[in-house]
Amino acid sequence: MAQVSLKDVVKIFPGDVTAVNNVNFGVENKEFIVLVGPSGCGKSTTLRLIAGLEVATRGSIYIGNRMVNDVPPKDRDIAMVFQNYALYPHMTVYENMAFGLRLKKYPKDEIDSRVKEAAGILGLEKLLGRKPRELSGGQRQRVAVGRSIVRKPLVFLFDEPLSNLDAKLRVQMRTELHRLHIRLQATMIYVTHDQTEAMMLGDRIVVMKDGLIQQIDTPTKVYNSPVNKFVASFIGAPPMNFLDGRIIRKEQKLYFDEGKFRIRIVEGMYDALENYIDRRVTLGVRSEDIYDKLFVSETPPENIVTITCEVVEHLGSEIYIHMNTGKHILVARVSGDANPQINQDMDVVFDMSKIHFFDRATEKTIV
């Protein structure tokens, strides 16, 4: 079994710098899990702890049923793919992929069989005689992945493997990695700072900040039900819009009062917000949940907000509108059929069923 689990893992570097703080999570057999977060959040250090390239200050790390804290990297039965490919420049593609097996003194026939099998999976058959300098960035990354595949490890570890590729190649390689996981049915742990990459690849994603795990769940649940303001802001593009305001009650109905406008809250949120009446909260709304009123029928007047359009970004099928409420700047993602005009007022509608509210002090999700 290729399960991985971390229990109360802490990593403190010299100078009393805590890079990983009491991390607990498990990776199921054949699962693709992605660690995501901003630079310095501890995701790469966590991966290196699993690989054995760093030693945990406290806590336990298991691969399968074996605790590996004191097991050297070469004996953990893992394969790691790095950001910089780490290929030997003087060796051919074939030799790079075969090198680890030769060190372990595998029979020549088995080495040849494994290399050609991996080359077939990754479309490298015609490149086996080339040197790394003769390859594109995407081809080099496939060779690095192939070198891991031939070892048939218990666990694959990926440390931001696509960050050196251009935008088009990144999209292509994401798809290839997804297909590879389906084909190999292997356990994979992947690190990235790119939330789009995390959403596309992960069966589950682990969102980290300041060495702490913020949330672990499927991409859909993390996107739709973030546990706090940080997760809500980090997952999603463009980032979630946030507005500060007050919850007020008027004629047995609840409203969010931003100062420049007031919108009615759906009744299903009343119970969760009961203790926040007459208190300030943070409202969160995603860009795709703000609509141009011209494209919405039967909208209650109390849900219409008049804003000033300041910047328009045309992206073909979509338009990003940067707008000013008078107190806050919001970004709406609307249909390419819309025709917003810069420096003109327009009416927009919030989808109130998809609004999020956050406690201003703790930044935890209220509803």
Side-chain angles (χ1 to χ4, degrees), residues 3 13 16 47 60 86 95 97 104 124 129 152 164 182 201 216 239 296 345 364:
Q3 295 170 322
F13 286 108
D16 201 28
L47 197 76
S60 305
E95 291 166 340
M97 292 171 66
K104 293 193 172 185
L124 296 171
K152 298 184 178 179
N164 286 338
I182 293 171
L201 289 172
I216 306 175
V296 180
D345 288 350
K364 291 182 179 180

Side-chain angles (χ1 to χ4, degrees), residues 1-7 49-51 60-78 104 151 153-155:
M1 297 292 286
Q3 295 170 322
V4 177
S5 62
L6 284 75
K7 298 181 179 180
L49 288 166
I50 297 169
S60 305
I61 301 170
Y62 292 84
I63 297 177
N65 295 320
R66 180 174 64 152
M67 190 170 80
V68 296
N69 289 51
D70 298 322
V71 177
K74 66 183 180 65
D75 297 326
R76 294 194 181 195
D77 203 3
I78 54 95
K104 293 193 172 185
R151 293 177 53 193
L154 281 176
V155 182

Side-chain angles (χ1 to χ4, degrees), residues 38-223:
S39 297
C41 71
K43 56 189 184 296
S44 288
T45 301
T46 301
L47 197 76
R48 291 172 65 84
L49 288 166
I50 297 169
L53 302 177
E54 300 286 353
V55 178
T57 306
R58 292 193 299 275
S60 305
I61 301 170
Y62 292 84
I63 297 177
N65 295 320
R66 180 174 64 152
M67 190 170 80
V68 296
N69 289 51
D70 298 322
V71 177
K74 66 183 180 65
D75 297 326
R76 294 194 181 195
D77 203 3
I78 54 95
M80 192 161 182
V81 179
F82 296 94
Q83 176 179 341
N84 61 357
Y85 320 135
L87 302 178
Y88 295 106
H90 61 287
M91 293 183 182
T92 64
V93 169
Y94 184 101
E95 291 166 340
N96 265 284
M97 292 171 66
F99 184 72
L101 300 179
R102 285 176 175 160
L103 281 181
K104 293 193 172 185
K105 303 189 183 304
Y106 276 77
K108 187 174 181 180
D109 288 348
E110 185 172 356
I111 292 174
D112 188 66
S113 173
R114 288 195 183 195
V115 169
K116 288 180 177 176
E117 179 186 11
I121 291 171
L122 296 166
L124 296 171
E125 303 99 316
K126 297 180 180 179
L127 304 178
L128 291 175
R130 293 191 188 181
K131 300 283 181 66
R133 65 176 179 273
E134 301 172 282
L135 306 177
S136 68
Q139 289 168 336
R140 292 179 193 177
Q141 193 56 275
R142 284 203 296 272
V143 175
V145 173
R147 186 175 53 190
S148 298
I149 290 174
V150 297
R151 293 177 53 193
K152 298 184 178 179
L154 281 176
V155 182
F156 288 87
L157 306 178
F158 296 90
D159 190 7
E160 304 207 39
L162 309 185
S163 58
N164 286 338
L165 304 181
D166 62 43
K168 185 177 180 180
L169 265 178
R170 285 184 75 134
V171 173
Q172 179 185 334
M173 282 300 297
R174 281 181 207 150
T175 304
E176 290 189 19
L177 285 172
H178 191 66
R179 287 176 180 155
L180 182 66
H181 177 246
I182 293 171
R183 181 163 181 173
L184 296 180
Q185 289 292 288
T187 302
M188 296 184 174
I189 305 175
Y190 189 101
V191 160
T192 182
H193 64 273
D194 185 332
Q195 53 89 19
T196 302
E197 210 165 89
M199 296 282 287
M200 287 182 62
L201 289 172
D203 297 324
R204 289 187 299 151
I205 59 179
V206 180
V207 185
M208 297 186 69
K209 178 191 177 188
D210 299 333
L212 295 165
I213 291 177
Q214 303 294 306
Q215 187 169 359
I216 306 175
D217 217 321
T218 64
T220 300
K221 288 185 178 178
V222 170
Y223 186 81

